[in-house]
Amino acid sequence: MNDPIRVLLVDDHALLRAGFRTILDTQPDIAVVGEASSGAEAVVQASALRPDVIMMDVQMPDMDGIEATRRIVADPDVDAAIAIVTTFDRDDYLYRALDAGAGGFLLKNAGAEDLIAAVRALAAGDGMLAPEVTRRVLARFAATPAPATVSTASVAAPKVALAEPLTEREAEVLTLLADARSNSEIARALFIGEATVKTHVSRILQKLGARDRVQAVVLAHRMGLA
């Protein structure tokens, strides 16, 4: 069996952390390995515990979750996917979180199944945005002028700056990413292995200059692949 997904819970409310722990610890493939009650503590715990996924609150004492996210992402020894989990459906939190390097944004009123799905998606390298905010993210980033101007080798579409052209297969993978497909779904659709999909996704992010899959999806929309 694969090792369980190691999760760090960060929230200044002990009751909420306990609730999240109860939900996640019922899953055989997930293990909560630590908790933190502030952003500053989260930075320390992330370095010490090396979790796979961090569920991060925003409003906390000492240091807020967005600054903690920025510091954790900047630590070369920590390779954790971070989801912001907040009560507040606010655009400024959302955009600042994505700019800081968060790969997910979830509202605290989400159900248990959504919380579990978010942890698994982040651990698999997928982004995870609450359905309520996905449309706003795409609208905001798609409205940002795209840098000029190298087109893909295999797709006739609006031009986006690329480090080098996408291959035909990479363009296919990016199209499926933009359709919110997971790695396993992409693998099934293209009749390839998940490891191969991960390799393609890594190459796509590198060529697009995208930090994560969320940014890659935005660029795919600009390129007419979605």
Side-chain angles (χ1 to χ4, degrees), residues 169-174 176 181 184-193 197 200:
R169 177 61 87 188
E170 289 166 351
E172 290 174 339
V173 171
L174 181 55
L176 292 171
R181 304 287 188 93
S184 60
E185 290 171 333
I186 294 171
R188 287 195 297 271
L190 299 179
F191 301 101
I192 57 179
V197 173
H200 285 314

